[in-house]
Amino acid sequence: QVDSKPIDPPAQGCSAQTEECCVDADCTVSGDACVQNTCVDVRSPRFSLVWTGANDFSLSVVSPLGFIISSLNPTDDVSGALWESRDDLETGEHVQSVFFPRTFSAGTYTYYINPVSPEAASGTWNANVFVNGIEAEAHTGTGGPAIYFFRN
C-alpha cells in the first residue's frame, strides 16, 4: 500500500543531494527533526543554538543536578545528556544542541550562549528549548554572553 501522506516541500534553495536534510522526513532516524539542514535528535528536553556565518558561539547547559554539558564535557553519564555540534562550512550554517533523555530531571536548567570568535560580537543567533519536540522557549540575540533559565 502506498502512503498518500503529503510531503512537506523542501526549504527554498535546499537540496537533499547537498544537504543532510531539507525537511523532517529526510532524517532517517525515527523522531529526528531537520534543524538548519541538520538532522537532530528530539529527545526531551533539547536546547539548540543556531547561527549562520563565520562567527563562532558555544552552547553550555547546566542540568538541575548541576552537571555541565558543553563542548568541553559533551556527555554526562548520570543524566544521559549529550552535546552535539554540526557545521556546514559550505553554507556557513551552524547548530549546537544539548539533548536529555525522556526520563530527565525536573527543575531548572541554566543555559549559556558564549561568543568564541571575535566576529561573534556582531553575530546573531537563535536559542530554542524544545520539550517532546514542541518549542517551549525561544531567544534571539547578538554577540553575548547570554544566560537563560528554563524550568521544567
Side-chain angles (χ1 to χ4, degrees), residues 11-149:
Q12 189 169 352
C14 183
S15 167
Q17 294 169 336
T18 58
E19 306 292 345
E20 181 177 0
C21 64
C22 296
V23 295
D24 291 353
D26 293 339
C27 298
T28 58
V29 175
S30 177
D32 274 10
C34 186
V35 177
Q36 196 103 359
N37 302 106
T38 301
C39 293
V40 295
D41 191 336
V42 293
R43 286 180 283 188
S44 198
R46 174 173 52 98
F47 297 80
S48 290
L49 175 64
V50 178
W51 74 95
T52 302
N55 45 36
D56 192 13
F57 293 96
S58 179
L59 171 66
S60 302
V61 177
V62 180
S63 76
L65 299 175
F67 297 104
I68 300 170
I69 301 90
S70 68
S71 61
L72 299 176
N73 186 41
T75 60
D76 174 39
D77 293 337
V78 174
S79 69
L82 175 65
W83 179 92
E84 192 173 80
S85 177
R86 304 236 175 117
D87 301 301
D88 186 331
L89 301 179
E90 233 175 78
T91 63
E93 297 174 328
H94 310 276
V95 179
Q96 290 184 7
S97 296
V98 173
F99 312 103
F100 288 84
R102 294 198 189 286
T103 56
F104 57 91
S105 300
T108 301
Y109 292 78
T110 306
Y111 59 109
Y112 302 86
I113 292 91
N114 288 301
V116 175
S117 66
E119 299 86 3
S122 61
T124 59
W125 47 262
N126 295 305
N128 307 81
V129 180
F130 298 87
V131 176
N132 294 319
I134 300 169
E135 186 176 80
E137 192 169 293
H139 302 279
T140 299
T142 301
I147 182 172
Y148 297 102
F149 303 93

